[in-house]
């Protein structure tokens, strides 16, 4: 329990450091994979080219084409004549909350997040490449179609209630985002033959490399990943230094307690040795009768009275090892006091 607070803080820091370092390594590997990625032109020869590859797939490639719906496209609920293949609705609640220190601050929380999607492909000329599992993409660029904020119209009672509860609703923000049909999009992933062997499909890489569906050029995507990598790099350094500082504080505190304990033990040993020497000097050459010797060690005089039985039968040295029962009457020992025998 002496190091509970430091241990909890160190554990939280270690978890945060592990997450930040993992993201740094992930961004680093993603940048490296993009730098070495193979660009593929979508043309009539692509199907034969993929069919001739081992496993009938290209492990990690870049393809670029226009988004084409493979079934009835999704109609936007907030924009006229706007259609897409992926739709996302997000509802956020804006709040003002009171902190433990008494001040109020704004925050927001997601109440609902809904995705709708249909099969779609990237088209270039007469060649279509179906996109599989688009929602699992690490980057999936969505265009904001509608963003509406509806302020709350609370009553005076709601205001008083919010003051006592520490939470005041401010309003709801409803956002619609889509991957619109017809936009130019870059896909980075594994290119393989479909199950019917008659078409191509872009899918997440089986090697664990990130899957991208973005409207950004590769150069812009690389810069964005590099910026995120630097952010996680500096965050990892800060958390690492903080963790080392906490570990150093714990080690310093432990060493200080260990040194103090050793000093106390050494002082107790010296006091005991001094006490024995003083006792010997107080009785030079004196031979005590057996009736005045400690009944345990038979060397030192009787110096301690045990209460409540009242027996004076042991010396001060032996009293440190006898704390429960009187060695004479076996009565429970509640306290011990010095005894002076003349």
């Amino acid at each position: 329990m002496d190091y509970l607070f430091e241990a909890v803080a160190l554990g939280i820091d270690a978890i945060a450091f592990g997450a930040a370092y993992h993201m740094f390594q992930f961004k680093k590997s993603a940048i490296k994979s993009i730098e070495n990625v193979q660009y593929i032109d979508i043309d009539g020869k692509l199907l034969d080219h993929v069919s001739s590859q081992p496993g009938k797939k290209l492990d990690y490639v870049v393809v670029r084409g226009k988004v084409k719906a493979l079934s009835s496209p999704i109609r936007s609920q907030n924009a006229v004549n706007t259609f897409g293949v992926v739709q996302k609705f997000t509802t956020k609640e804006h709040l003002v909350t009171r902190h433990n220190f008494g001040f109020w601050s704004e925050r927001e929380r997601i109440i609902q997040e809904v995705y709708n999607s249909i099969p779609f492909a990237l088209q270039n000329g007469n060649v279509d490449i179906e996109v599989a599992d688009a929602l699992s993409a690490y980057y999936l660029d969505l265009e904001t179609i509608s963003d509406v904020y509806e302020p709350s119209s609370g009553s005076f009672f709601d205001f008083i209630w919010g003051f006592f509860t520490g939470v005041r609703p401010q309003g709801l923000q409803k956002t619609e985002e889509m991957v619109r049909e017809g936009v130019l999009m870059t896909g980075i992933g594994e290119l393989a033959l479909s199950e019917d062997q008659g078409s191509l499909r872009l899918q997440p890489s089986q090697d664990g490399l990130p899957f991208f569906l973005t409207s950004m050029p590769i150069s812009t995507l690389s810069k964005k990943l590099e910026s995120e990598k630097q952010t996680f790099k500096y965050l990892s350094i800060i958390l690492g230094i903080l963790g080392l500082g906490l570990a150093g504080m714990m080690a310093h505190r432990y060493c200080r307690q260990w040194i103090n304990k050793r000093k106390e033990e050494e002082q107790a040993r010296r006091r005991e040795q001094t006490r024995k020497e003083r006792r010997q000097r107080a009785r030079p050459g004196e031979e005590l009768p057996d009736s005045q010797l400690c009944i345990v060690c038979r060397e030192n005089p009787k110096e301690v009275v045990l209460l409540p039985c009242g027996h004076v039968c042991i010396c001060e040295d032996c009293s440190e090892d006898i704390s429960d029962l009187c060695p004479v009457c076996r009565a429970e020992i509640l306290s011990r006091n010095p005894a002076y025998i003349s």
Side-chain angles (χ1 to χ4, degrees):
M1 297 296 290
D2 292 341
Y3 302 93
L4 179 60
F5 174 77
E6 292 88 344
V8 171
L10 186 61
I12 295 175
D13 178 81
I15 294 173
F17 171 78
Y21 186 75
H22 171 75
M23 291 303 299
F24 166 73
Q25 291 293 338
F26 179 80
K27 301 290 183 181
K28 184 178 178 180
S29 63
I31 294 173
K32 185 177 180 180
S33 63
I34 290 177
E35 292 175 349
N36 302 325
V37 73
Q38 180 182 2
Y39 290 80
I40 298 295
D41 294 328
I42 301 178
D43 53 27
K45 300 179 181 179
L46 184 58
L47 181 62
D48 294 334
H49 177 64
V50 175
S51 300
S52 63
Q53 298 299 312
K56 296 183 178 181
K57 65 179 181 178
L58 297 174
D59 290 333
Y60 204 59
V61 298
V62 176
V63 294
R64 189 167 176 84
K66 291 184 178 181
V67 175
K68 175 187 175 182
L70 298 180
S71 61
S72 298
I74 303 172
R75 180 189 296 270
S76 171
Q77 295 186 6
N78 297 284
V80 180
N81 296 327
T82 301
F83 300 89
V85 295
V86 178
Q87 185 182 51
K88 177 184 177 183
F89 291 103
T90 305
T91 303
K92 294 182 180 179
E93 183 180 20
H94 291 257
L95 305 166
V96 177
T97 59
R98 184 175 60 235
H99 293 265
N100 295 331
F101 298 102
F103 61 89
W104 296 76
S105 64
E106 294 185 358
R107 70 179 185 91
E108 58 184 40
R109 65 178 180 180
I110 296 178
I111 297 178
Q112 189 179 40
E113 196 172 71
V114 178
Y115 284 89
N116 298 316
S117 64
I118 61 170
F120 69 96
L122 299 181
Q123 183 185 48
N124 191 346
N126 295 324
V127 180
D128 294 344
I129 297 180
E130 181 183 358
V131 177
D133 201 10
L135 296 182
S136 68
Y138 181 72
Y139 275 159
L140 176 60
D141 284 347
L142 298 170
E143 180 182 348
T144 300
I145 305 300
S146 174
D147 190 359
V148 179
Y149 178 75
E150 301 175 355
S152 300
S153 57
S155 62
F156 179 74
F157 175 78
D158 295 330
F159 178 82
I160 298 298
W161 179 255
F163 177 80
F164 285 105
T165 59
V167 178
R168 295 177 183 172
Q170 297 295 297
L172 294 177
Q173 181 182 5
K174 298 180 179 180
T175 306
E176 181 187 8
E177 299 171 277
M178 297 186 75
V179 175
R180 289 192 302 113
E181 189 177 25
V183 301
L184 194 62
M185 179 164 283
T186 300
I188 306 177
E190 183 180 270
L191 186 62
L193 288 178
S194 61
E195 296 178 356
D196 59 9
Q197 305 290 316
S199 60
L200 295 173
R201 180 175 60 190
L202 184 68
Q203 60 192 17
S205 172
Q206 297 182 2
D207 297 331
L209 297 173
F211 184 37
F212 296 101
L213 290 172
T214 175
S215 58
M216 295 183 290
I218 297 298
S219 59
T220 305
L221 178 61
S222 297
K223 291 179 180 179
K224 184 175 182 180
L225 289 171
E226 180 65 29
S227 176
E228 294 176 351
K229 186 194 80 170
Q230 293 297 324
T231 299
F232 285 109
K233 175 183 176 180
Y234 293 130
L235 182 60
S236 299
I237 293 174
I238 293 172
L239 291 172
I241 294 174
L242 181 60
L244 290 175
L246 288 171
M249 289 175 56
M250 294 177 65
H252 174 72
R253 183 179 173 187
Y254 174 80
C255 291
R256 187 175 58 186
Q257 289 181 348
W258 182 80
I259 291 173
N260 291 337
K261 183 179 179 181
R262 291 296 301 270
K263 287 182 178 179
E264 292 176 357
E265 291 176 351
E266 180 64 20
Q267 290 174 358
R269 188 187 65 79
R270 290 180 179 178
R271 287 196 302 266
E272 180 64 23
Q273 183 65 26
T274 302
R275 188 175 60 187
K276 290 182 178 180
E277 293 176 355
R278 187 174 60 248
R279 183 185 296 151
Q280 293 296 329
R281 289 195 300 267
R283 305 188 303 270
E286 181 182 356
E287 293 292 338
L288 295 176
D290 290 345
S291 60
Q292 295 184 15
L293 290 177
C294 171
I295 66 172
V296 177
C297 66
R298 308 300 296 177
E299 294 180 357
N300 299 320
K302 299 176 180 178
E303 301 169 314
V304 176
V305 57
L306 305 178
L307 299 176
C309 66
H311 285 112
V312 181
C313 57
I314 58 177
C315 64
E316 188 175 356
D317 294 345
C318 296
S319 69
E320 295 179 357
D321 299 326
I322 299 174
S323 59
D324 50 357
L325 300 177
C326 172
V328 176
C329 65
R330 313 304 294 171
E332 183 180 4
I333 300 173
L334 300 181
S335 64
R336 292 171 292 181
N337 289 324
Y340 302 97
I341 303 175
S342 58

